[in-house]
């Protein structure tokens, strides 16, 4: 079972405090860090960014407070990063603009390592359901499937392909990307792949961010990319489990639970709600629950 990832913070690989961030001395509350060598780094700064990254990988602690990934720029940059001393300390790589035509150029480089991959869906192929199903079949191949940690949705790149920019008055789900994200969920999630939600680029609209993260969760997203440390807590508060949900999940997983029962004025059906219940329990272990007292008794109500 893939656990919820919560907020993943992008940090440019040429950041002057990259070492302190990598070691958890700065922003130590972050669960996952993505050192970016792609869009967050200008072409003229790439050489310095890779040098900075090489120094950090060589000297950062093997065990950090967060899982650490590198968002590579292309297969050539991945090869350079893998050759750096300390690359084995990384949990894996984020693949930009991943398609079925370029995926193997990345995958073959990590085939004999322990690194995980997070391909990013952010090209015109995303708008073609047939292409996405073909890509899914490639990711399902033996030896590949267990190396895919999650699929990331690149919202800004997808909007750019449409000549659009995220508005300041509505969530991403009220733009043309709403139906696209819904289709990606139905194409990938039934086959065991999880997805993370796009960035929210406006730093002064906390209420809209709250609304969007709630919609992310309604679409089954297991995480959201953060572009600033101030977004981490607002994102992850939504991953804390509500007391009623936690109680219902425990009731559904109770060995003595009836097949169907009512709880909190909702129907609970063990056969169909078990996967949700298991995810909810795991999520509560990682992010906690919205209560300041012991959770409700897991005893199963017998009311039908």
């Amino acid at each position: 079972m893939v656990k919820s990832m919560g907020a993943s913070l992008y940090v440019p690989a040429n950041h002057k405090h990259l070492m302190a961030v990598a070691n958890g001395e700065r922003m130590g509350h972050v669960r996952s860090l993505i050192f970016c060598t792609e869009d967050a780094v200008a072409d003229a700064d790439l050489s310095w960014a890779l040098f900075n990254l090489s120094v950090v990988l060589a000297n950062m602690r093997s065990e950090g407070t967060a899982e650490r990934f590198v968002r590579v720029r292309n297969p050539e940059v991945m090869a350079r990063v893998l050759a750096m001393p300390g690359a084995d300390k990384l949990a894996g790589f984020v693949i930009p603009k991943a398609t079925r035509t370029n995926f193997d150029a990345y995958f073959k480089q990590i085939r004999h390592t322990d690194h995980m991959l997070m391909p990013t869906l952010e090209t015109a192929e995303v708008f073609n359901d047939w292409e996405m199903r073909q890509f899914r079949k490639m990711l399902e191949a033996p030896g590949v499937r267990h190396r895919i940690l999650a699929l990331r949705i690149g919202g800004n790149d997808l909007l750019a392909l449409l000549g659009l920019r995220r508005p300041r008055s509505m969530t991403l789900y009220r733009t043309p990307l709403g139906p696209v994200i819904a289709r990606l969920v139905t194409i990938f999630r039934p086959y065991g792949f999880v997805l993370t939600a796009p960035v929210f680029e406006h730093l002064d609209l906390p209420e809209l961010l709250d609304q969007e993260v709630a919609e992310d969760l309604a679409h089954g997203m297991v995480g959201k990319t953060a572009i600033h440390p101030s977004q981490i807590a607002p994102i992850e508060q939504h991953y804390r489990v509500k007391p009623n949900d936690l109680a219902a999940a425990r009731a559904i997983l109770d060995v003595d639970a009836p097949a169907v029962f009512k709880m909190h004025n909702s129907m609970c059906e063990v056969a169909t709600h078990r996967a949700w219940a298991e995810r909810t329990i795991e999520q509560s272990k990682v992010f906690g629950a919205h209560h300041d007292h012991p959770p409700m008794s897991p005893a199963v109500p017998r009311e039908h």
Side-chain angles (χ1 to χ4, degrees), residues 233-271:
I235 290 173
E236 294 202 339
Q237 70 168 336
H238 288 272
Y239 284 82
R240 295 177 64 194
V241 177
K242 296 177 181 178
N244 283 1
D245 286 344
L246 184 58
R250 287 172 170 167
I252 289 166
L253 296 177
D254 192 299
V255 294
D256 296 322
V260 180
F261 59 91
K262 186 177 81 172
M263 189 171 188
H264 306 133
N265 288 314
S266 296
M267 182 191 76
C268 295
E269 188 173 9
V270 173

Side-chain angles (χ1 to χ4, degrees), residues 6 63 79 109 111 120 122 124 132 146 152 155 207 253 267:
E63 298 294 331
Q109 298 189 54
R111 188 188 304 271
T120 307
E122 53 185 349
M132 289 296 94
H146 71 285
R152 309 192 74 84
E207 292 182 0
L253 296 177
M267 182 191 76

Side-chain angles (χ1 to χ4, degrees), residues 138 156 205 250:
M138 174 179 284
N156 282 344
L205 298 174
R250 287 172 170 167

Side-chain angles (χ1 to χ4, degrees), residues 12 104 110 123 207 237 269 282 285:
D104 192 58
I110 60 93
T123 65
E207 292 182 0
Q237 70 168 336
E269 188 173 9
E282 289 302 315
K285 293 178 181 177

Side-chain angles (χ1 to χ4, degrees), residues 30-286:
V30 182
R31 299 176 192 277
S32 62
L33 293 163
I34 300 174
F35 307 141
C36 185
T37 69
E38 202 220 5
D39 289 347
V41 176
D43 292 345
D45 297 330
L46 180 59
S47 293
W48 162 248
L50 291 176
F51 171 75
N52 192 44
L53 181 62
S54 70
V55 173
V56 170
L57 292 184
N59 294 282
M60 73 181 186
R61 289 193 286 267
S62 296
E63 298 294 331
T65 57
E67 286 193 308
R68 297 161 294 190
F69 301 85
V70 170
R71 182 193 196 188
V72 294
R73 199 180 190 92
N74 49 46
E76 291 72 28
V77 167
M78 175 181 267
R80 292 177 66 176
V81 175
L82 283 168
M84 295 175 183
D88 57 303
K89 301 172 190 174
L90 294 169
F93 295 90
V94 174
I95 300 174
K97 299 173 178 60
T99 67
R100 64 190 180 100
T101 56
N102 67 18
F103 176 76
D104 192 58
Y106 294 100
F107 179 74
K108 66 183 181 182
Q109 298 189 54
I110 60 93
R111 188 188 304 271
H112 301 297
T113 74
D114 294 325
H115 293 115
M116 300 295 288
L117 294 178
M118 289 193 284
T120 307
L121 306 176
E122 53 185 349
T123 65
E125 285 85 348
V126 172
F127 301 116
N128 185 320
D129 289 358
W130 182 86
E131 273 291 340
M132 289 296 94
R133 287 193 293 269
Q134 295 304 115
F135 190 30
R136 184 195 71 212
K137 291 177 181 178
M138 174 179 284
L139 299 180
E140 289 179 299
V144 178
R145 173 65 189 85
H146 71 285
R147 307 298 291 276
I148 307 301
L149 181 61
L151 299 170
R152 309 192 74 84
I153 300 175
N156 282 344
D157 281 81
L158 293 174
L159 283 174
L161 290 169
L162 302 175
L164 301 174
R165 183 181 180 182
R166 164 198 285 279
R168 292 177 57 86
S169 59
M170 62 188 67
T171 72
L172 200 64
Y173 295 94
R174 291 183 59 196
T175 73
L177 288 196
V180 175
I181 294 173
R183 288 199 301 274
L184 290 175
V185 171
T186 58
I187 288 171
F188 287 100
R189 280 213 60 148
Y191 297 85
F193 296 98
V194 296
L195 300 104
T196 67
V199 302
F200 184 86
E201 65 190 74
H202 305 305
L203 299 177
D204 60 340
L205 298 174
E207 292 182 0
L208 191 61
L209 172 61
D210 283 343
Q211 183 181 343
E212 182 161 299
V213 179
E215 293 186 63
D216 291 339
L217 290 172
H219 282 75
M221 301 290 115
V222 300
K224 190 174 188 69
T225 302
I227 57 171
H228 191 274
S230 65
Q231 292 184 330
I232 295 169
I235 290 173
E236 294 202 339
Q237 70 168 336
H238 288 272
Y239 284 82
R240 295 177 64 194
V241 177
K242 296 177 181 178
N244 283 1
D245 286 344
L246 184 58
R250 287 172 170 167
I252 289 166
L253 296 177
D254 192 299
V255 294
D256 296 322
V260 180
F261 59 91
K262 186 177 81 172
M263 189 171 188
H264 306 133
N265 288 314
S266 296
M267 182 191 76
C268 295
E269 188 173 9
V270 173
T272 57
H273 295 153
R274 176 173 292 277
W276 168 85
E278 291 173 344
R279 287 199 309 274
T280 299
I281 295 294
E282 289 302 315
Q283 190 166 317
S284 73
K285 293 178 181 177
V286 176

